[in-house]
Each structure stands twice: as structure tokens, then as C-alpha cells.
């Protein structure tokens, strides 16, 4: 009898009762890259043995029913749309200044409570289709399973460590709802969840009611194989058309391989399926969570396929990382999203430009290291370690071999390693991305709240004294910082400032309304030393860049300079 209990099996009144030892959902809901595939590779979920775990993967952790119109949140949790609370205004947050981002939705799951912009709470398209296919397939198998009767007993889980400090006690198992259902373990467990009789965290004890003791294992196997077949196509990435690897869901609800989405974001900021604007970084390393449920389903149902694909991709990426593939033009400062015009005359850079034109038309622009300062791990190198990735827009070759090149900044990078190729520098670079919008919002909320509280106390105690400059700046919302900067630009144009002449506006365009881009535009036109502008390339917060620009404006006003002939602000 002890042996039988260890295997999760006991004989009661001559009828076999079996239960599945509770495996916490976190075991399957992993999202740590290739480690996830390796963790599941040797232990795929089985139709009969792991019926409870399989059904739990498609249950809403909030209402415990099968997911309906599921929403995958940026915190990686997935719940039914009806389980989300109503959006509420977000306090002290102004960037991005759009209605769907000024309203917030709080994750309803206990222990999370993260606040997300309403724009980031779209229905998960792929998971919705999967749930519809699962429901249809379960419904089709019900008529043929009328004789496969099972008694299901819900086993509630209670953690004794919540009540005391004894860490060694086993979880207390209490009986909950019970049902007599048909269709083997998979279908009956799904039906019990659909009836609202099976809590997300509960285990299930199964008892066959077949006169001949049949436990309907073959039926479970048949159902799961059919589910694999009908859902397989929905698990293909719409970019590479292979099975998704590290499925990653965008704010518009579409899911792709993380690697494929990163490649798209490298040259575009729109969803490759619906063309909606996406506010995510090109690398996806800082602000895009994977789809935990889809990742878990793939790892649990076909871990061998996931592992083999992950191994192939890893080998490919390692091979690419060993190559210093980014040519470096050591010259001047270039800004993201802004044009840079070059006159190429040195033989080494002529060769570099020819090769760039034959390739992806992209190269890196870095500044001279004029004072030979140490550049982090690179040491003392002839260039500064942060630069801008440029893409050639127009190219004019002259008869003598010189050329005029028009480029546009498409991103920032940090040089990780460098070498020489035929006289010019090449490098292995790492993209520099802004922090996630959620983190940007937290910083704005914290800074403005603290600064305004300080200002209130300051003026209560010293009503006649001026607020310290740094506190006054932090008290401004991100939108107020942008409004102040754009108002200054209008003021200077009306005063005919030489750095805002019409020909300059024709080259760089009107001031961007996007707070993320405005500092780059301003740095491109204002006569500030390049070494000061260079700081913008290292800054990963929009709000911080705007505060830098705000400080420049303060210095311009302090010097009472409007239409003078000054070339640089020292």
C-alpha cells in the first residue's frame, strides 16, 4: 500500500482512485529564454498523467474558468478581459500624452498589482484563437465520450507556512467541489473548470466509475493529439513561419518569436501584422515580456521541437556575435532620427562606403576622442564609445572618387569590441534603448510627487524664497518640460535666432511633438558644444533628456542671448 501511495494511487472500496500531485503553475509558466526550453525538454506533459496541469495552463488565474478573450499584460500575467478592472486615470504621468496611456489598468492578481497603461491591455489574438479551437475540439469529443464516466474530487490547497513559521510542513489538502463527468481526465477536468467548480490552484482526484476499471487513458491521448494538430498552425510565427520560439506578445495583441520581433523593430516601430505603432525597444531586452502561457504550452507539449530550434538559433546568434560587423566612421556627432551629411574623401572611408552600399547601407558614426579619455572597458581609444547607427538615404559619387552622403540616424549603440579592416575601424556593438514606458512613468510619478511635496513644504516654511532649480525642474511633468522647450523654440524663431533660420528648419524639419525625439532635434540645431550633446546618446530616459535640454535653455536665457552671433554656449 505504501508503494501504491508513493505513485499517487490508492484502492478505496475496490475502486481505483488516482490523483495528480500538485505542481505549482510557475513550474510551467517560465520565461527565461533558452533555459525554459532546457527545463522542459526531458519531461513533456502527458495527456493522462498531467491532465490537471494541462487544463491549468488555459485557466484564468483570476476567475479559474478557461480563458475567454484573454489579455496578456506586460507583467506576464494573462487573465480574461472581463477579469480586468476598469481603467482609471494615472496620477502624475504625462508621457506618452495619449488618452489610452493616461489611463491605467491594475493587474488584479494578488501579489502583483502592477499598473499598466490601458494601451498595453489588448486582447491576445493568438491565445484567443487557441482557446476557441480548444473549446471546439472539446465540444466535438463530448458526444463520443458519454460512457467514459469519472468521479472528480477537487482538492483544495492550503499552505501551512502562511499561518506559522514551520517551513517543513506539507501543504494541507482539503476536499472541495465534486462532479461526475464524462470524457476522460482531460475533457472532464476542462468541463469542471468551465462550470466554475475547479479553482485555479486546486488539485483533482480522479475515480473511474467504469465497471471494468477502464481509466480512459487512450481517450486522453487521442484528445491531446487532436488538440496538438488543430492548434499547431496557430503557434507559427507570422514573420518566419516557423514554430514560435520565445513567443512575445505586442501591446496590440499579436505574437511573434522574440528574435523575429526584434529584427522587425530594428528598422521599424510598427507591428508586422496590423501595422499599429509600437512603443518598444528594438532589442526587446528591457521592456517586452514573453507570453508565459504560450511558452509553457510549447515547452510542455513539444519540448523536443522547441529545444532543437532553440539550439539552432543559439548557434546562429553566437556565430553572428563573433563578427565585428559594424563599420565605424570616426568623425562627428550624429543624432537618432536626424539627418547627417558627409563629404567622404579619405581612401579608407571610400572603400568602407562602397561596402556599406553593397550591404545593408548602415554604419556607425562616432566622435573623435579628443582628450584621449578612457572609454570604459575599451580603454583609451581614438573614438568615444557611444555612437549613432546611420542609414544611407542618398549617395552621390563624384568623378574623382569623393562622395556626398546623406544619412539618417536609426538608433544608438555602445561599442563592445573593435578592430581594423583595410584601414577603417569595425566594431561589435550593443544597441542602446530607452527604458520601458512603464519604468519611465514610475520615474515621472516619483520625481514629480516628491518635488511637489518638497515645494509645498518649502513655501510653507519660506514663502519669500525661490525654490531650488533642481527641485523646480523635477516638479514639472514630462509634458510640461516638452511644452516649455517648444515654447522657447517658438520664442527664438520670432526673435530671428540665427540657429533657427529657415534653411536649418528645411534640413531638420519642424520641432517633433514626440518628447523622445525632441531633444535630438534640439541638439541638432542649437549651438552647444558637441561634448555636451554627446550625453544624450548615453541617456536612456526621455525625461532625463528633456531635463538636459531644459538646462541648456536656462543657460541661454541667463546669458540674455537672443539674436547674438555666439557660436557655442560654454
Amino acid at each position: 500500500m505504501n508503494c501504491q501511495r508513493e505513485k499517487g494511487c490508492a484502492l478505496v472500496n475496490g475502486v481505483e482512485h488516482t490523483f495528480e500531485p500538485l505542481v505549482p503553475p510557475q513550474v510551467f509558466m517560465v520565461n527565461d529564454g533558452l533555459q525554459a526550453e532546457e527545463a522542459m525538454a526531458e519531461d513533456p506533459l502527458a495527456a493522462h498523467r498531467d491532465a490537471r496541469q494541462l487544463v491549468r495552463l488555459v485557466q484564468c488565474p483570476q476567475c479559474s474558468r478557461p480563458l475567454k478573450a484573454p489579455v496578456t499584460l506586460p507583467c506576464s500575467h494573462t487573465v480574461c478581459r472581463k477579469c480586468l478592472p476598469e481603467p482609471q486615470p494615472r496620477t502624475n504621468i504625462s508621457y506618452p500624452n495619449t488618452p489610452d496611456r493616461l489611463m491605467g489598468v491594475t493587474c488584479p492578481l494578488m501579489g502583483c498589482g502592477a499598473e499598466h497603461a490601458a494601451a498595453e491591455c489588448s486582447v491576445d489574438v493568438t491565445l484567443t484563437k487557441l482557446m476557441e479551437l480548444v473549446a471546439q475540439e472539446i465540444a466535438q469529443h463530448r458526444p463520443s465520450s458519454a460512457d467514459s464516466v469519472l468521479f472528480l474530487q477537487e482538492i483544495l490547497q492550503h499552505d501551512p507556512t502562511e499561518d506559522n513559521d514551520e517551513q517543513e510542513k506539507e501543504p494541507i489538502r482539503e476536499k472541495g467541489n465534486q462532479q461526475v463527468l464524462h470524457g476522460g481526465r482531460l475533457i472532464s477536468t476542462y468541463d469542471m473548470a468551465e462550470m466554475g467548480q475547479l479553482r485555479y490552484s486546486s488539485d483533482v482526484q480522479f475515480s473511474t466509475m467504469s465497471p471494468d476499471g477502464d481509466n480512459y487513458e487512450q481517450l486522453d491521448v487521442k484528445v491531446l493529439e487532436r488538440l496538438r494538430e488543430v492548434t499547431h498552425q496557430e503557434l507559427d510565427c507570422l514573420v518566419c513561419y516557423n514554430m514560435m520560439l520565445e513567443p512575445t506578445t505586442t501591446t496590440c495583441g499579436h505574437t511573434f518569436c522574440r528574435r523575429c520581433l526584434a529584427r522587425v523593430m530594428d528598422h521599424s516601430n510598427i507591428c508586422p501584422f496590423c501595422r499599429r505603432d509600437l512603443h518598444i525597444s528594438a532589442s526587446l531586452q528591457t521592456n517586452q515580456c514573453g507570453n508565459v502561457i504560450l511558452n509553457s504550452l510549447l515547452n510542455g507539449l513539444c519540448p523536443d521541437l522547441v529545444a532543437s530550434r532553440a539550439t539552432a538559433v543559439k548557434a546562429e546568434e553566437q556565430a553572428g556575435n563573433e563578427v565585428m560587423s559594424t563599420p565605424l566612421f570616426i568623425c562627428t556627432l550624429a543624432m537618432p532620427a536626424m539627418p547627417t551629411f558627409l563629404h567622404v574623401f579619405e581612401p579608407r572611408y571610400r572603400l568602407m562606403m562602397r561596402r556599406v552600399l553593397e550591404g545593408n547601407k548602415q554604419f556607425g558614426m562616432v566622435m573623435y576622442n579628443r582628450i584621449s579619455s578612457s572609454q570604459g572597458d575599451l580603454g583609451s581609444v581614438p573614438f568615444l564609445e557611444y555612437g549613432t547607427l546611420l542609414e544611407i538615404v542618398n549617395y552621390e559619387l563624384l568623378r574623382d572618387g569623393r562622395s556626398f552622403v546623406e544619412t539618417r540616424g536609426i538608433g544608438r549603440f555602445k561599442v563592445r569590441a573593435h578592430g581594423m579592416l583595410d584601414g577603417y575601424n569595425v566594431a561589435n556593438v550593443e544597441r542602446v534603448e530607452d527604458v520601458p514606458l512603464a519604468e519611465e512613468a514610475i520615474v515621472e510619478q516619483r520625481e514629480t510627487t516628491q518635488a511637489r511635496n518638497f515645494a509645498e513644504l518649502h513655501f510653507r516654511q519660506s514663502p519669500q524664497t525661490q525654490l531650488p532649480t533642481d527641485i523646480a525642474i523635477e516638479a514639472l511633468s514630462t509634458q510640461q518640460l516638452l511644452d516649455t522647450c517648444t515654447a522657447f523654440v517658438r520664442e527664438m524663431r520670432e526673435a530671428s535666432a540665427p540657429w533657427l533660420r529657415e534653411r536649418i528648419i528645411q534640413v531638420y524639419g519642424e520641432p517633433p511633438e514626440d518628447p523622445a525625439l525632441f531633444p535630438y532635434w534640439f541638439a541638432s540645431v542649437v549651438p552647444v558644444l558637441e561634448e555636451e550633446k554627446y550625453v544624450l546618446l548615453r541617456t536612456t530616459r526621455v525625461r532625463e533628456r528633456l531635463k538636459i535640454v531644459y538646462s541648456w535653455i536656462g543657460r541661454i536665457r541667463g546669458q540674455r542671448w537672443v539674436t547674438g552671433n555666439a557660436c557655442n554656449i560654454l
Side-chain angles (χ1 to χ4, degrees):
M1 180 66 73
N2 290 338
C3 180
Q4 288 176 323
R5 285 197 181 116
E6 288 174 3
K7 295 179 180 178
C9 176
L11 293 177
V12 181
N13 297 329
V15 180
E16 183 185 30
H17 291 249
T18 59
F19 63 88
E20 299 179 17
L22 176 65
V23 179
Q26 293 92 323
V27 171
F28 302 102
M29 295 187 180
V30 290
N31 182 34
D32 54 356
L34 299 178
Q35 294 180 0
E37 288 76 22
E38 295 169 358
M40 297 296 300
E42 297 180 359
D43 190 22
L45 297 177
H48 186 72
R49 181 195 67 207
D50 302 316
R52 176 66 190 106
Q53 285 91 320
L54 285 166
V55 173
R56 185 182 284 113
L57 286 178
V58 297
Q59 274 183 273
C60 172
Q62 181 69 7
C63 68
S64 294
R65 296 178 185 270
L67 288 162
K68 190 171 184 179
V71 176
T72 298
L73 301 170
C75 59
S76 293
H77 294 121
T78 300
V79 296
C80 301
R81 182 168 57 182
K82 64 179 179 59
C83 293
L84 286 177
E86 288 296 319
Q88 300 294 328
R90 305 170 79 188
T91 58
N92 292 342
I93 293 176
S94 65
Y95 170 73
N97 191 17
T98 57
D100 57 356
R101 290 194 171 272
L102 298 182
M103 300 293 288
V105 175
T106 302
C107 177
L109 299 187
M110 186 179 300
C112 182
E115 183 185 65
H116 309 294
E120 299 174 339
C121 302
S122 300
V123 171
D124 188 326
V125 176
T126 300
L127 196 52
T128 297
K129 291 181 180 178
L130 281 178
M131 292 306 302
E132 291 172 352
L133 290 172
V134 168
Q136 292 171 9
E137 200 60 34
I138 294 291
Q140 290 177 7
H141 278 80
R142 285 195 188 107
S144 62
S145 59
D147 296 332
S148 48
V149 187
L150 285 176
F151 175 75
L152 283 75
Q153 176 72 61
E154 181 188 25
I155 305 298
L156 306 179
Q157 301 296 317
H158 174 64
D159 187 357
T161 61
E162 294 178 358
D163 301 325
N164 54 59
D165 295 331
E166 297 182 32
Q167 301 293 326
E168 301 299 327
K169 286 190 175 182
E170 293 292 330
I172 300 172
R173 302 168 67 86
E174 300 176 353
K175 293 184 178 181
N177 298 311
Q178 50 186 248
Q179 293 288 333
V180 175
L181 297 169
H182 304 268
R185 292 188 180 186
L186 263 179
I187 293 179
S188 59
T189 306
Y190 180 91
D191 286 346
M192 192 171 182
E194 194 170 44
M195 296 164 63
Q197 298 293 304
L198 180 58
R199 295 167 180 82
Y200 178 79
S201 59
S202 294
D203 198 358
V204 178
Q205 180 176 296
F206 301 93
S207 303
T208 179
M209 301 183 70
S210 169
D212 57 4
D214 187 2
N215 62 7
Y216 314 115
E217 182 173 355
Q218 293 305 312
L219 177 59
D220 288 329
V221 172
K222 178 182 177 182
V223 172
L224 185 57
E225 284 303 315
R226 180 58 187 159
L227 287 173
R228 279 196 180 105
E229 292 176 9
V230 300
T231 60
H232 179 75
Q233 186 175 358
E234 296 301 329
L235 294 175
D236 285 345
C237 172
L238 294 176
V239 173
C240 67
Y241 297 102
N242 290 314
M243 183 185 67
M244 291 181 188
L245 181 64
E246 291 188 84
T248 303
T249 302
T250 64
T251 54
C252 55
H254 297 109
T255 305
F256 312 91
C257 298
R258 175 177 288 271
R259 185 167 176 263
C260 292
L261 185 58
R263 285 181 170 180
V264 171
M265 291 297 102
D266 190 49
H267 59 81
S268 173
N269 63 345
I270 59 177
C271 171
F273 185 78
C274 70
R275 318 305 288 176
R276 175 175 163 181
D277 287 341
L278 299 176
H279 293 272
I280 59 178
S281 65
S283 65
L284 306 187
Q285 296 302 314
T286 57
N287 62 342
Q288 199 65 21
C289 295
N291 192 309
V292 175
I293 290 184
L294 291 179
N295 199 39
S296 302
L297 286 169
L298 286 166
N299 292 328
L301 298 180
C302 47
D304 52 342
L305 296 178
V306 173
S308 61
R309 179 137 194 267
T311 300
V313 169
K314 185 176 181 180
E316 181 182 339
E317 290 180 342
Q318 286 178 340
N321 289 337
E322 294 174 358
V323 178
M324 295 185 186
S325 56
T326 303
L328 294 183
F329 199 123
I330 305 175
C331 184
T332 185
L333 179 71
M335 286 290 167
M338 295 293 114
T340 299
F341 302 90
L342 301 171
H343 173 207
V344 181
F345 55 87
E346 289 189 58
R348 54 176 176 164
Y349 288 131
R350 294 183 190 181
L351 173 60
M352 188 189 86
M353 283 299 165
R354 287 200 299 272
R355 289 173 173 172
V356 168
L357 285 167
E358 293 170 356
N360 61 4
K361 297 185 178 181
Q362 296 177 6
F363 62 96
M365 175 67 74
V366 289
M367 286 178 59
Y368 278 109
N369 186 2
R370 293 187 177 92
I371 60 175
S372 300
S373 60
S374 178
Q375 299 298 303
D377 295 337
L378 299 176
S380 181
V381 292
F383 53 85
L384 302 185
E385 62 180 330
Y386 288 89
T388 300
L389 189 64
L390 301 180
E391 185 172 53
I392 295 177
V393 177
N394 287 309
Y395 179 83
E396 181 183 354
L397 181 64
L398 304 181
R399 289 183 177 180
D400 58 3
R402 295 179 297 121
S403 61
F404 293 110
V405 184
E406 178 186 355
T407 68
R408 191 166 191 85
I410 59 174
R412 297 172 291 160
F413 62 83
K414 180 179 181 180
V415 177
R416 286 299 184 187
H418 71 102
M420 296 295 292
L421 176 65
D422 296 330
Y424 61 87
N425 284 268
V426 291
N428 187 331
V429 303
E430 175 186 55
R431 292 293 291 267
V432 176
E433 309 286 357
D434 283 342
V435 298
L437 289 180
E439 184 176 336
E440 184 81 47
I442 291 172
V443 171
E444 178 184 3
Q445 193 174 51
R446 182 180 66 246
E447 286 187 355
T448 55
T449 301
Q450 291 177 350
R452 290 169 186 176
N453 290 339
F454 179 90
E456 183 179 349
L457 179 63
H458 174 84
F459 288 123
R460 190 183 305 138
Q461 297 175 345
S462 307
Q464 303 302 320
T465 60
Q466 192 173 14
L467 194 66
T469 303
D470 57 338
I471 300 298
I473 293 177
E474 291 197 351
L476 297 175
S477 70
T478 301
Q479 186 62 41
Q480 287 173 328
L481 285 170
L482 176 66
D483 292 342
T484 302
C485 293
T486 53
F488 175 76
V489 171
R490 289 194 299 269
E491 178 186 336
M492 291 295 97
R493 290 182 73 174
E494 291 174 359
S496 300
W499 48 278
L500 285 173
R501 288 174 179 164
E502 191 60 32
R503 62 179 181 83
I504 294 178
I505 299 300
Q506 289 177 354
V507 171
Y508 294 102
E510 294 292 335
E513 297 180 358
D514 186 347
L517 300 181
F518 178 85
Y520 299 138
W521 177 90
F522 192 83
S524 298
V525 301
V526 72
V528 173
L529 290 174
E530 286 195 341
E531 283 74 13
E532 292 195 51
K533 298 178 183 180
Y534 172 73
V535 178
L536 296 179
L537 298 184
R538 300 183 300 184
T539 307
T540 57
R541 289 191 173 92
V542 172
R543 180 172 174 80
E544 192 63 30
R545 288 200 294 272
L546 285 171
K547 288 196 291 186
I548 291 172
V549 171
Y550 188 93
S551 69
W552 293 345
I553 291 174
R555 287 158 52 192
I556 294 174
R557 291 189 182 281
Q559 293 184 11
R560 301 180 182 277
W561 176 57
V562 177
T563 59
N565 295 320
C567 294
N568 291 304
I569 302 171
L570 301 178

